[in-house]
Amino acid sequence: MFLLFFGFSLGKILEHECLHSFEVELPKDHSGMPSVLKRIEDLVPLLVNSFHDSALSIQAMPVIDGQSFDCILYTLQNINMAVKVVVDEINRPHMSHEFSSILPSNGNKLMPNTMLMYLKKLGDSFPVGKIYHSAEKEGERFFILNLGITEIFLHLITWIDDPNLFEKLLHFIETLLLKQGSRNLSATKTILEKQLVSIISLFPRIVAVSGGWRLRLLEAFTTAFRNCKVESTHCLAYLAAIEEMLKDDSAFKSCDPDMLSYQIVWLQELPNLLLKLGDRHPPLSKVILKLLLQIGQCSPQNSPLASEYNCLQWRLKEFYGTQVIAGPVNYGPFIKLPTDCQELSICCLYYFSSLNPDLLQSITFCCLCNHLEPSVLLRIIEVLESAFRAAHLPISDYIGFLVTLIARFKVYPGKFSSEENDTKVSKSGIFKSLNSAICSCLSQLGDNSMVLKLLYKHISREMSLKPSLLNMRGLFRVIVMLDRRLKQLAEEEVIDLSNSLAYYVLDASSASSCLTDTIALAEDSNKIAILKYYIQPCIFLLYGSDKLLNHVVKLFDSLVLDIDCSPVSQCDDNHVLKHATMVLEVACILNFMHHDVELHRGLSSSRETIKHILLKISKLLGSGNFSMPVEERHKVKTAFDQLRAVACKLHCLESGDVGV
């Protein structure tokens, strides 16, 4: 009853003190602390004496009964709470004058003499019983008591001047860490786990004063950390301890090879923990990512730790996404983690001194994932732009990444909108934002025409893969933004571009279902609006380069069948229908181009080619070997008549020169 009374008294004194995972939360108002601390100083000797007597008693028991164990453990917890309060008050920047007046003036070692004397008596009792008793439950109870004593003295580690006690404590901590992974916690699991967490959280303080034990303790700590179950309460404590040991800038500039070797092991373990966690425990993933970011930010350039940080990229590929040859993408935890975790992981990318192409590919997979939030996608682009400007990313990889996003982003439009300022949240709207962001990045790289020269091989490769019309439009938009006159492109590159452009505008015409009788008569129709939207960037390119326009017209000429050179055997029904569609699309696009005044000058230089196209269409319509269905023939004839009318007017041709 005596013990319980004093335990109750201390609890009432500190009723606003709440024990959390690693710290005591002390009240903000310290005005009453002097009287509280004086009462604690009087209470601690009584608690220590009670514990000492109880320890002798339970050691003599054949079996510790539950009530006796709870009583002595409760005493130990009250001593621990009292010591924490006193130590925190001593360490407080503005310690109360009343309390400082009762402390001895022996330099930094400010601790009430009476408390130190009695706490030394507690140290004499350590370790209680046998740490590893033959009976598992008995051994575990003694172990818990010794953990409690250890925690108390770790708070007092600055004041310990007994080498024997110090040695016993460090040996116990080493044994604790080495044996932690193999301990089988039973009925006292909650108590034991809580005390283990407290010891682990105090480890940085231990290492700082451990002297000759330092390497042994670091080895034990590192072994325990690597063997710790990722979902246990201990994992967070280990991470907090590592963060504490790295918090000081000197930790990153240390020339101590032994400490560096352990820092490297801790760093290498972080990606493994992220992958083991997956997306099941975002708060813990957030702690790991914050630690990774801190290491990236603080590691001096070209230091061993910075080199090891760079080596993490190979392992982090799985965190973002991987793909086996041409199979499906296996997305890692990144996609499903909350936005704050994604932000931390994205920021980590900046601190790789040279971003690996394989990791960049994994990030690209995530950027193209349908489940990624648009804001996160744009944030990735922003951070990689910063990485490029810091020379952490080669320009070829950087522009290749940007082009890949435009070419492969899955737009999947619903109802098509040709409005550039469409504010509806849709894939089309997201793609417009993406396209604008990428154009902005590319426009800041320097001489735009030279940038296009560097970029073109990436664009050409993506165009050859036949992306969707909207993706193709995005690629043409990039070209227009950089240099619509194509000043730096070689002749073969212009020819290559003309091929892509010609087939694209034909596909756009087909997709917009632009019937020949609407081109001249219904300029405000939705079909014409859609066609204009698709081919607008191409028209701007044709404005800027007559050479490109000439190559496009020549390609159109090659696509129209020359009936004089085609054997009759080739003109089967399927061939006729397929080619009739091609002729209709060519006529549709040429008609559209002739209605654009700004293209007249460029089209004039292709006068003979356009005349040749009209002659070939006229011969097809008059050929008995090329018998089109009535409906198709009517469409082609209408398109031909419209094209002949505008072409003859522009190029000063006689109707008889281009067929009848």
Side-chain angles (χ1 to χ4, degrees):
M1 292 297 295
F2 172 79
L3 173 64
L4 293 175
F5 170 76
F6 280 104
F8 175 76
S9 299
L10 182 58
K12 290 298 289 180
I13 292 170
L14 303 172
E15 64 182 349
H16 297 298
E17 324 287 334
C18 298
L19 289 174
H20 292 284
S21 54
F22 305 136
E23 299 179 356
V24 176
E25 183 182 315
L26 294 174
K28 295 180 180 179
D29 183 7
H30 291 263
S31 58
M33 284 304 292
S35 61
V36 170
L37 293 167
K38 185 64 177 71
R39 293 171 68 184
I40 288 176
E41 186 183 1
D42 295 337
L43 185 57
V44 167
L46 298 174
L47 291 170
V48 171
N49 283 334
S50 175
F51 176 82
H52 186 265
D53 294 342
S54 299
L56 293 175
S57 175
I58 65 170
Q59 283 175 308
M61 293 179 182
V63 177
I64 307 175
D65 63 86
Q67 185 176 1
S68 298
F69 172 75
D70 291 341
C71 186
I72 192 171
L73 180 62
Y74 188 59
T75 305
L76 209 55
Q77 289 172 343
N78 276 280
I79 297 171
N80 186 34
M81 187 183 294
V83 169
K84 282 182 180 179
V85 172
V86 173
V87 170
D88 284 334
E89 179 64 16
I90 291 172
N91 293 330
R92 193 162 60 86
H94 304 291
M95 182 174 54
S96 63
H97 172 74
E98 295 87 346
F99 182 55
S100 62
S101 64
I102 68 173
L103 300 177
S105 304
N106 54 342
N108 292 326
K109 293 191 174 185
L110 301 173
M111 176 63 70
N113 284 327
T114 306
M115 281 186 63
L116 282 175
M117 181 180 67
Y118 276 93
L119 288 169
K120 186 178 184 302
K121 187 176 180 180
L122 179 65
D124 293 338
S125 303
F126 179 78
V128 179
K130 297 179 180 179
I131 297 179
Y132 303 107
H133 199 273
S134 55
E136 184 178 345
K137 189 171 183 179
E138 293 290 296
E140 190 172 287
R141 283 176 167 174
F142 281 121
F143 184 76
I144 289 173
L145 294 178
N146 287 308
L147 265 178
I149 297 172
T150 301
E151 184 181 354
I152 291 169
F153 281 105
L154 290 181
H155 293 298
L156 298 167
I157 203 160
T158 307
W159 293 275
I160 296 177
D161 54 8
D162 181 349
N164 183 52
L165 174 59
F166 196 62
E167 189 88 3
K168 288 191 294 183
L169 287 168
L170 296 181
H171 182 267
F172 178 81
I173 292 168
E174 180 190 35
T175 305
L176 159 71
L177 292 171
L178 291 175
K179 296 291 184 180
Q180 179 196 336
S182 61
R183 293 197 63 81
N184 181 22
L185 308 180
S186 55
T188 51
K189 177 179 179 180
T190 303
I191 298 172
L192 187 53
E193 282 198 341
K194 185 175 181 181
Q195 288 185 309
L196 284 170
V197 165
S198 298
I199 299 296
I200 296 167
S201 66
L202 291 168
F203 187 78
R205 195 179 302 180
I206 303 167
V207 171
V209 296
S210 57
W213 278 81
R214 181 166 171 265
L215 292 183
R216 289 177 60 176
L217 290 175
L218 284 170
E219 180 65 29
F221 174 88
T222 303
T223 300
F225 171 55
R226 296 180 74 177
N227 293 332
C228 176
K229 293 181 179 178
V230 70
E231 296 177 3
S232 71
T233 55
H234 304 150
C235 187
L236 188 59
Y238 281 116
L239 293 169
I242 291 171
E243 182 180 13
E244 183 69 24
M245 286 187 279
L246 294 174
K247 188 174 289 184
D248 188 349
D249 285 345
S250 62
F252 294 96
K253 300 174 183 176
S254 173
C255 297
D256 181 352
D258 294 317
M259 188 62 179
L260 177 63
S261 66
Y262 290 113
Q263 291 174 343
I264 289 173
V265 173
W266 302 337
L267 177 60
Q268 291 172 340
E269 196 64 25
L270 297 182
N272 297 333
L273 292 177
L274 280 175
L275 294 176
K276 288 177 184 177
L277 280 170
D279 54 19
R280 298 188 305 276
H281 295 278
L284 187 52
S285 295
K286 184 177 180 180
V287 170
I288 297 169
L289 289 165
K290 283 180 70 176
L291 186 53
L292 273 173
L293 180 58
Q294 178 186 340
I295 295 172
Q297 289 171 329
C298 298
S299 300
Q301 190 175 8
N302 300 322
S303 66
L305 202 58
S307 297
E308 287 298 327
Y309 184 81
N310 278 322
C311 291
L312 298 181
Q313 296 183 68
W314 184 84
R315 196 76 177 97
L316 285 173
K317 289 191 303 179
E318 296 179 50
F319 176 72
Y320 293 99
T322 56
Q323 184 181 38
V324 179
I325 310 177
V329 175
N330 297 313
Y331 292 107
F334 174 82
I335 288 294
K336 292 186 178 180
L337 283 172
T339 306
D340 54 351
C341 292
Q342 292 176 331
E343 169 66 20
L344 287 169
S345 67
I346 294 167
C347 289
C348 287
L349 300 174
Y350 175 82
Y351 296 98
F352 293 121
S353 61
S354 179
L355 198 61
N356 188 287
D358 289 338
L359 180 59
L360 184 61
Q361 183 183 49
S362 295
I363 296 162
T364 306
F365 291 149
C366 292
C367 291
L368 298 175
C369 178
N370 290 331
H371 302 294
L372 190 70
E373 287 293 324
S375 59
V376 178
L377 169 60
L378 296 176
R379 178 62 175 152
I380 291 173
I381 294 172
E382 180 183 352
V383 170
L384 290 184
E385 180 186 19
S386 298
F388 164 72
R389 296 193 177 282
H392 298 171
L393 182 60
I395 188 170
S396 59
D397 291 347
Y398 177 55
I399 61 179
F401 163 76
L402 296 177
V403 170
T404 300
L405 291 192
I406 295 178
R408 303 187 188 184
F409 185 83
K410 299 178 180 65
V411 185
Y412 297 138
K415 185 177 179 181
F416 184 86
S417 171
S418 61
E419 296 295 325
E420 284 289 349
N421 60 353
D422 185 10
T423 57
K424 294 181 180 178
V425 179
S426 67
K427 277 289 185 178
S428 296
I430 296 168
F431 183 66
K432 290 173 186 176
S433 299
L434 171 66
N435 204 238
S436 297
I438 290 174
C439 285
S440 175
C441 291
L442 292 172
S443 67
Q444 298 176 47
L445 294 181
D447 185 332
N448 283 351
S449 60
M450 289 303 298
V451 172
L452 178 58
K453 178 71 175 176
L454 290 172
L455 199 67
Y456 186 73
K457 66 177 182 179
H458 297 283
I459 293 178
S460 177
R461 182 178 64 246
E462 292 297 335
M463 285 183 169
S464 69
L465 298 176
K466 303 297 182 184
S468 75
L469 287 175
L470 284 173
N471 294 103
M472 284 288 285
R473 182 185 186 276
L475 292 172
F476 283 117
R477 185 181 171 195
V478 167
I479 298 173
V480 170
M481 182 275 300
L482 291 174
D483 180 20
R484 70 177 187 175
R485 297 187 182 278
L486 311 177
K487 294 191 294 289
Q488 295 294 334
L489 292 192
E491 179 71 19
E492 60 270 20
E493 291 173 325
V494 174
I495 293 173
D496 177 74
L497 179 60
S498 70
N499 289 338
S500 299
L501 189 150
Y503 283 109
Y504 166 74
V505 295
L506 292 174
D507 289 341
S509 174
S510 176
S512 62
S513 301
C514 185
L515 301 179
T516 55
D517 58 354
T518 66
I519 294 178
L521 304 177
E523 289 293 330
D524 60 342
S525 73
N526 188 53
K527 293 174 182 178
I528 295 299
I530 292 173
L531 179 62
K532 283 183 175 179
Y533 176 81
Y534 275 131
I535 70 173
Q536 181 188 52
C538 302
I539 295 299
F540 286 144
L541 284 175
L542 297 177
Y543 288 163
S545 174
D546 289 347
K547 185 189 298 184
L548 179 68
L549 177 56
N550 290 336
H551 283 301
V552 169
V553 175
K554 286 178 182 178
L555 182 62
F556 286 162
D557 184 27
S558 69
L559 294 176
V560 178
L561 181 67
D562 190 340
I563 197 65
D564 293 336
C565 302
S566 177
V568 177
S569 58
Q570 290 186 8
C571 298
D572 56 47
D573 291 344
N574 289 334
H575 178 77
V576 168
L577 184 59
K578 181 179 178 180
H579 197 72
T581 302
M582 176 64 72
V583 170
L584 178 63
E585 290 170 357
V586 168
C588 173
I589 292 299
L590 284 175
N591 197 359
F592 185 91
M593 291 165 65
H594 276 78
H595 279 82
D596 191 324
V597 176
E598 291 190 54
L599 289 177
H600 284 181
R601 179 179 56 82
L603 288 171
S604 295
S605 62
S606 298
R607 178 178 183 277
E608 292 304 316
T609 306
I610 294 169
K611 178 181 177 181
H612 190 234
I613 292 172
L614 288 168
L615 283 170
K616 288 201 293 185
I617 297 175
S618 177
K619 289 180 180 181
L620 284 175
L621 290 169
S623 171
N625 294 331
F626 198 81
S627 180
M628 291 179 276
V630 174
E631 184 178 354
E632 295 302 316
R633 181 181 179 80
H634 172 72
K635 291 179 181 178
V636 173
K637 182 65 168 63
T638 303
F640 170 75
D641 289 341
Q642 291 182 351
L643 176 59
R644 182 176 59 177
V646 293
C648 287
K649 182 178 179 181
L650 174 63
H651 304 297
C652 300
L653 298 172
E654 295 293 335
S655 296
D657 295 336
V658 292
V660 293

